[in-house]
Amino acid sequence: MRKFVAGNWKMNGLRDSLENIAELATAHARARIDIMICPPATLLSKACEINGSLKIGAQDCHSAEKGAHTGDIAAQMIADCGATAVILGHSERRENHSETDAMVRDKTIAAQSAGLTAVVCIGETLEQREKGETLNILKTQLEASIPDEVDPDLLVVAYEPVWAIGTGKIPTREQIAEAHAFCRSTLLERLGSSANNVPLLYGGSVKASNADEIFALQNVDGALVGGASLSPTDFSPIIHALEATV
Ligand code: PGA
């Protein structure tokens, strides 16, 4: 499996930020890993016009093919821009837009039907971790957010503890390794050996200073990076750290 590092720009970036994508594309033209930027929807089309091997993804899609859904974006529209992936079920969507596992599952079906890779995000809150519920939460989210008919070749799973996102707090190596091993075995039970090829990304306060440690862990196949993906100066060392593992 190719390792995978994705930058989630969230609601950040104007047209002049496209320069950052061009800079990354040049700096990592011969990368031995998959690198993706998920800019806001307004920049998707332009970002896809930048030459290079960088992948471009969206941050969400609607589950319907088309129709009366003001403000929403269909998976096929994302593919039509030239993007190849979409982040689904990010904790900020789950929290700010009350997205449920069932909604994420329907979006995953829509994304894959449009030929997009679905980057499905799961993760526990601090309260759930403190109550010892982490693995149960991950199991439920994996079962309910990933459809039975999933195409494992178009699936990436991101483990993102909600309490580690944008906080600078990071789980211990043991906690990350435990969660990733659990995700792998749960996916293996569900999907069979093809689950070995589903990249498992860690997300939550990944920075150049902790990337080496995180990428050294078993079953960590890359990262979903928020804040540190906004500038090439911060993101490039993370890309290099992952590349050093292959
Ligand atoms: P962060 O965000 O790297 O800023 O913590 C990660 C994410 O939300 O995917």
Side-chain angles (χ1 to χ4, degrees), residues 1-98:
M1 167 208 327
R2 261 167 86 85
K3 299 220 172 165
F4 194 157
V5 60
N8 172 11
W9 280 10
K10 310 190 181 184
M11 200 171 71
N12 296 290
L14 300 174
R15 277 180 299 168
D16 61 3
S17 319
L18 291 165
E19 283 168 25
N20 290 347
I21 300 181
E23 189 180 326
L24 284 171
T26 307
H28 301 280
R30 299 222 179 115
R32 288 169 287 128
I33 57 172
D34 287 334
I35 305 164
M36 180 164 82
I37 293 289
C38 299
T42 47
L43 297 180
L44 267 187
S45 231
K46 286 265 179 219
C48 290
E49 285 167 15
I50 295 169
N51 282 330
S53 56
L54 236 60
K55 292 178 184 295
I56 300 296
Q59 299 174 13
D60 180 47
C61 72
H62 197 278
S63 57
E65 252 177 66
K66 58 180 174 183
H69 301 288
T70 303
D72 281 312
I73 297 176
Q76 211 187 350
M77 295 171 179
I78 294 167
D80 187 47
C81 283
T84 55
V86 57
I87 298 171
L88 296 172
H90 189 282
S91 66
E92 287 152 14
R93 300 279 327 163
R94 291 178 186 264
E95 198 178 317
N96 302 346
H97 299 270
S98 309

Side-chain angles (χ1 to χ4, degrees), residues 6-10 87 90-92 121 158 160-162 164-169 202-207 223-230 238:
N8 172 11
W9 280 10
K10 310 190 181 184
I87 298 171
H90 189 282
S91 66
E92 287 152 14
C121 302
E160 300 204 300
V162 179
I165 294 175
T167 58
K169 287 185 198 144
Y202 168 77
S205 297
V206 176
K207 299 194 168 38
L224 181 54
V225 183
S229 71
L230 292 173
I238 298 174

Side-chain angles (χ1 to χ4, degrees), residues 13-231:
L14 300 174
R15 277 180 299 168
D16 61 3
S17 319
L18 291 165
E19 283 168 25
N20 290 347
I21 300 181
E23 189 180 326
L24 284 171
T26 307
H28 301 280
R30 299 222 179 115
R32 288 169 287 128
I33 57 172
D34 287 334
I35 305 164
M36 180 164 82
I37 293 289
C38 299
T42 47
L43 297 180
L44 267 187
S45 231
K46 286 265 179 219
C48 290
E49 285 167 15
I50 295 169
N51 282 330
S53 56
L54 236 60
K55 292 178 184 295
I56 300 296
Q59 299 174 13
D60 180 47
C61 72
H62 197 278
S63 57
E65 252 177 66
K66 58 180 174 183
H69 301 288
T70 303
D72 281 312
I73 297 176
Q76 211 187 350
M77 295 171 179
I78 294 167
D80 187 47
C81 283
T84 55
V86 57
I87 298 171
L88 296 172
H90 189 282
S91 66
E92 287 152 14
R93 300 279 327 163
R94 291 178 186 264
E95 198 178 317
N96 302 346
H97 299 270
S98 309
E99 284 193 9
T100 61
D101 287 327
M103 288 161 78
V104 178
R105 181 198 57 213
D106 291 348
K107 289 177 180 212
T108 303
I109 295 171
Q112 294 197 333
S113 305
L116 298 174
T117 294
V119 180
V120 175
C121 302
I122 57 170
E124 82 287 359
T125 63
L126 188 57
E127 198 189 343
Q128 289 163 339
R129 175 158 289 276
E130 283 170 350
K131 284 193 192 151
E133 293 171 357
T134 299
L135 299 186
N136 278 340
I137 294 291
L138 297 184
K139 191 169 172 54
T140 305
Q141 290 182 332
L142 281 173
E143 270 167 12
S145 301
I146 294 176
D148 286 337
E149 59 270 57
V150 73
D151 176 351
D153 293 335
L154 290 178
L155 179 66
V156 172
V157 171
Y159 167 60
E160 300 204 300
V162 179
W163 51 276
I165 294 175
T167 58
K169 287 185 198 144
I170 190 139
T172 63
R173 280 182 296 181
E174 290 72 23
Q175 287 171 330
I176 297 175
E178 180 190 42
H180 277 244
F182 181 79
C183 290
R184 180 77 69 207
S185 63
T186 305
L187 288 172
L188 279 167
E189 269 172 38
R190 177 103 182 267
L191 309 175
S193 59
S194 56
N196 281 321
N197 297 324
V198 174
L200 295 183
L201 312 186
Y202 168 77
S205 297
V206 176
K207 299 194 168 38
S209 55
N210 56 26
D212 285 328
E213 272 199 294
I214 296 170
F215 294 150
L217 298 170
Q218 232 187 340
N219 287 307
V220 175
D221 307 308
L224 181 54
V225 183
S229 71
L230 292 173
S231 108

